[in-house]
Structure formats: C-alpha cells, structure tokens
Amino acid sequence: MKKILVVAGTSDNKRNFAVNYISEFMRDKGMEVEVTGESIYDVTEVAEDISAIVAIGQPQFDTTIPIIDGTPFITKFNMDSCCQQLIEKM
C-alpha cells in the first residue's frame, strides 16, 4: 500500500480537507493508499515508507521523496490535477 503525507502550514481544516479529498480521489481510481496529514512545522524528517508528499506551504525538511505542490487545495482549483501528479510520482 502506498502512503501519502500531506504537510500544511495552514489551518488544520485545510490539511484535513486535502487528506480527505486525496483519499476519496484515490479510492475512486481504485487505488489503495493511506493518506495522513501533519503540520509542516512539525515535520523534520520523513519516514522511508512514504511514497509521495503534498506540501501546502514551504517544507522545512529535505527529502528525496517526490513533493507535489498542494496549493490547489487552498484555491480549490485543479485539485484533480494535483492528485493525478501524485499517481504519476508514485
């Protein structure tokens, strides 16, 4: 099972919205994924079992794991495109 980490420097509500939207999008595509969310300020390193990261804000950590810009989850424009990028990166 693929794991997606959503990190956000905005409100918990925005982060939870992104987690839920991504989870539903992937489920609708028939993909089994685990999507979790954390504050971008609390993440100093990323677990090795994470397949991709959606960043809503500027990450304060370095990683080789693919990072997708999560701005669409703030603007609510092109969210499906963001999710499609996740699929391509995993």
Side-chain angles (χ1 to χ4, degrees), residues 3-90:
K3 293 185 178 183
I4 299 169
L5 174 63
V6 176
V7 292
T10 59
S11 70
D12 290 343
N13 289 336
K14 295 249 191 252
R15 182 177 64 239
N16 292 336
F17 172 78
V19 167
N20 292 330
Y21 190 94
I22 294 166
S23 295
E24 289 179 24
F25 183 93
M26 297 299 174
R27 185 177 58 242
D28 290 347
K29 295 289 184 185
M31 299 184 69
E32 286 191 40
V33 298
E34 179 183 324
V35 185
T36 58
E38 294 186 37
S39 169
I40 205 165
Y41 305 111
D42 293 339
V43 177
T44 56
E45 59 185 59
V46 180
E48 292 179 17
D49 63 343
I50 299 295
S51 303
I53 299 167
V54 175
I56 305 171
Q58 186 62 41
Q60 305 298 310
F61 53 84
D62 292 320
T63 184
T64 58
I65 296 168
I67 299 176
I68 288 82
D69 179 13
T71 302
F73 294 104
I74 295 173
T75 63
K76 297 196 170 130
F77 183 71
N78 286 332
M79 294 182 296
D80 287 355
S81 176
C82 183
C83 291
Q84 194 60 43
Q85 286 180 43
L86 277 168
I87 292 172
E88 292 168 8
K89 296 292 183 182
M90 293 188 299

